């Protein structure tokens, strides 16, 4: 009888070695270790044995059962390890493959244009002065010679941040409608030194967005304060800038205008860079492009900045940044600048 046990052990272990997957393993378990399996069947024989053989047989059968159970567990683990190795091999990454190319980024067209403008003015001796986007009513309007209810305030539709201003208080907050309030800040900080600065920055207007106008855009303000500064200095500066930015053949002209913070006030025009003055779609057949508002700093504004207008004079100007870029690169819609369409942005 003990030989039968031995031969079953041998057979079962050989069969187990041939098992290669979970299904076969389960079939093996049922065949040998299941309730109606071969080991159970063997144990059932115990009753048919002579009494003296039973203990030895029982012991051997139990040991067989334990051996097969241990072998089963071992095989199960070995199969799991094999399965894992197979899965890892199948999903392996080839770390030597070349990566997906990512092109280097570049500066936004507005930033590029702004930097070019700043570089030109820097060569002409202007420093950059930055002033805040959130301003008081007093800085944006009042100290620029527009007290509450001054009709010229209507030239700038305003995003108000607090209500006080609409009630006539000068302490109300707003998003600056132009970079001009920086003139007051720089004068108050530098007085009584002479000044030659530009003030680049974002401006905000409560206006309909169209192909020609955005409600957020950049301006560059300029301010020179000194002794004996005249309108010719302003015109010379404007002409020099136009030539350095657009090309040496550019010409400028001036027209009388009105701004509350300058006296006299002028508009600076430049001959159209596309048609050179002959008249085209871009210059609306006039041959000229408007490039800046400007003028001699109003005595009241000089005074508000701390400078005595009897001793000091100055010129100021302000112009948009996106418009010159539009003219230079023939961009016909200002909304493209902040639409975040990479097909547009990548062209610059
Ligand atoms: N601040 C004006 C605007 O936003 C532009 C301007 C005009 C600025 C004349 C100046 C100036 O400094 O002198 O429309």
């Amino acid at each position: 009888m003990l030989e039968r046990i031995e031969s079953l052990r041998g057979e079962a272990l050989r069969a187990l070695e041939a098992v290669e997957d979970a299904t076969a393993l389960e079939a093996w378990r049922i065949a040998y270790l299941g309730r109606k399996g071969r080991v159970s069947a063997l144990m059932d024989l115990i009753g048919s044995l002579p009494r003296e053989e039973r203990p030895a047989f029982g012991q051997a059968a139990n040991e067989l059962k334990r051996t097969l159970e241990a072998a089963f567990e071992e095989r199960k683990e070995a199969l799991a390890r094999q399965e894992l190795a197979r899965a890892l091999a199948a999903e392996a990454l080839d770390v030597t493959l070349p990566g997906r190319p990512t092109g280097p980024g570049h500066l936004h067209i507005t930033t590029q244009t702004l930097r070019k403008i700043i570089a030109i003015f820097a060569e002409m001796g202007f420093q950059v002065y930055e002033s805040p986007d959130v301003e008081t009513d007093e800085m944006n309007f009042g100290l620029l010679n527009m007290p509450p209810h001054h009709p010229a305030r209507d030239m700038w539709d305003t995003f108000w941040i607090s209500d006080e201003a609409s009630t006539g208080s000068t302490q109300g907050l707003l998003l600056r409608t132009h970079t001009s309030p920086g003139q007051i800040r720089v004068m108050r900080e530098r007085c009584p030194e002479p000044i030659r600065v530009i003030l680049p920055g974002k401006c905000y207007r409560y206006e309909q967005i169209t192909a020609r106008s955005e409600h957020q855009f950049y301006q560059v303000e300029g301010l020179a304060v000194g002794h004996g500064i005249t309108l010719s200095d302003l015109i010379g500066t404007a002409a020099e800038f136009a030539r350095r930015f657009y090309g040496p053949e550019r010409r400028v002209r001036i027209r009388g205008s009105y701004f509350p913070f300058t006296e006299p006030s002028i508009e600076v025009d430049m001959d159209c860079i596309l048609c050179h003055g002959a008249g085209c779609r871009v210059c609306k057949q006039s041959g000229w492009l408007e490039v800046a508002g400007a003028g001699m700093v109003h005595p009241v504004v000089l005074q508000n900045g701390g400078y005595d207008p009897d001793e000091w004079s100055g010129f100021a100007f302000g112009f948009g940044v996106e418009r010159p870029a539009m003219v230079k690169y023939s961009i016909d819609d200002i909304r493209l600048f902040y639409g975040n369409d990479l097909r547009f942005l990548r062209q610059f």
Side-chain angles (χ1 to χ4, degrees):
M1 277 314 268
L2 291 178
E3 282 143 34
R4 282 185 63 175
I5 290 178
E6 273 317 301
S7 86
L8 181 55
R9 180 200 310 271
E11 182 197 326
L13 290 177
R14 273 192 305 281
L16 186 59
E17 251 171 69
V19 162
E20 284 301 341
D21 58 46
T23 322
L25 183 67
E26 180 60 8
W28 182 92
R29 191 190 63 78
I30 292 167
Y32 290 96
L33 294 170
R35 261 194 308 120
K36 292 179 185 161
R38 303 278 298 276
V39 175
S40 281
L42 199 66
M43 284 179 161
D44 288 345
L45 292 176
I46 201 164
S48 66
L49 291 176
R51 203 166 274 283
E52 63 277 13
E53 287 181 22
R54 286 181 191 173
F57 179 83
Q59 219 172 13
N62 272 327
E63 199 197 305
L64 170 66
K65 192 176 177 202
R66 275 195 301 276
T67 308
L68 295 189
E69 278 168 354
F72 170 79
E73 288 303 327
E74 209 173 285
R75 189 78 190 126
K76 194 169 148 186
E77 273 172 36
L79 284 179
R81 275 196 302 276
Q82 267 176 28
E83 183 52 38
L84 180 64
R86 232 195 322 269
L88 285 176
E91 291 165 23
L93 293 177
D94 181 353
V95 294
T96 66
L97 279 177
R100 294 198 185 102
T102 54
H106 72 275
L107 296 175
H108 189 275
I109 176 175
T110 304
T111 310
Q112 290 182 41
T113 309
L114 204 49
R115 290 196 179 182
K116 212 167 287 171
I117 292 168
I118 289 170
I120 292 171
F121 279 111
E123 284 170 5
M124 292 161 68
F126 287 78
Q127 296 174 316
V128 171
Y129 186 92
E130 285 186 270
S131 70
D133 290 31
V134 175
E135 271 295 9
T136 58
D137 174 273
E138 189 177 28
M139 286 282 174
N140 196 79
F141 293 122
L143 295 168
L144 291 172
N145 207 19
M146 284 177 278
H149 309 301
H150 191 291
R153 286 175 172 235
D154 287 350
M155 289 164 74
W156 297 274
D157 292 307
T158 308
F159 284 111
W160 295 100
I161 290 179
S162 65
D163 288 339
E164 296 150 63
S166 56
T167 64
S169 154
T170 52
Q171 288 314 306
L173 291 178
L174 48 79
L175 292 178
R176 65 174 170 198
T177 58
H178 50 179
T179 42
S180 302
Q183 289 189 30
I184 301 292
R185 291 185 179 275
V186 71
M187 281 193 281
R188 289 188 168 180
E189 193 179 300
R190 299 281 170 90
C191 186
E193 300 289 324
I195 295 172
R196 205 190 299 174
V197 293
I198 52 168
L199 305 104
K202 213 171 195 184
C203 303
Y204 307 81
R205 301 235 179 122
Y206 187 35
E207 276 173 12
Q208 186 74 31
I209 298 171
T210 68
R212 294 276 304 156
S213 65
E214 263 283 5
H215 61 198
Q216 298 182 47
F217 56 94
Y218 281 84
Q219 273 190 346
V220 173
E221 187 87 9
L223 175 70
V225 177
H227 295 292
I229 290 185
T230 67
L231 194 61
S232 325
D233 296 313
L234 169 57
I235 297 168
T237 303
E240 186 58 24
F241 174 77
R243 286 193 284 265
R244 292 196 193 193
F245 188 77
Y246 291 102
E249 71 279 19
R250 293 279 70 82
R251 287 176 297 130
V252 297
R253 72 171 187 189
I254 61 165
R255 287 178 289 125
S257 185
Y258 172 74
F259 299 100
F261 31 90
T262 41
E263 182 57 40
S265 301
I266 60 170
E267 294 282 340
V268 181
D269 295 345
M270 179 183 76
D271 61 329
C272 178
I273 62 166
L274 288 185
C275 64
H276 303 276
C280 69
R281 197 178 57 88
V282 171
C283 59
K284 298 194 199 97
Q285 309 306 328
S286 73
W288 295 91
L289 299 167
E290 291 173 18
V291 292
M296 298 307 289
V297 182
H298 196 287
V300 169
V301 176
L302 278 175
Q303 218 152 25
N304 289 339
Y307 291 82
D308 178 355
D310 289 333
E311 283 184 33
W312 297 84
S313 61
F315 67 73
F317 56 83
F319 59 89
V321 173
E322 290 86 355
R323 292 264 169 81
M326 290 171 78
V327 172
K328 196 163 174 164
Y329 300 113
S330 299
I331 300 162
D332 58 7
D333 193 329
I334 198 171
R335 291 169 293 196
L336 288 166
F337 282 77
Y338 307 112
N340 282 339
D341 186 337
L342 289 177
R343 291 168 304 178
F344 171 76
L345 295 174
R346 283 194 179 121
Q347 294 177 49
F348 304 98

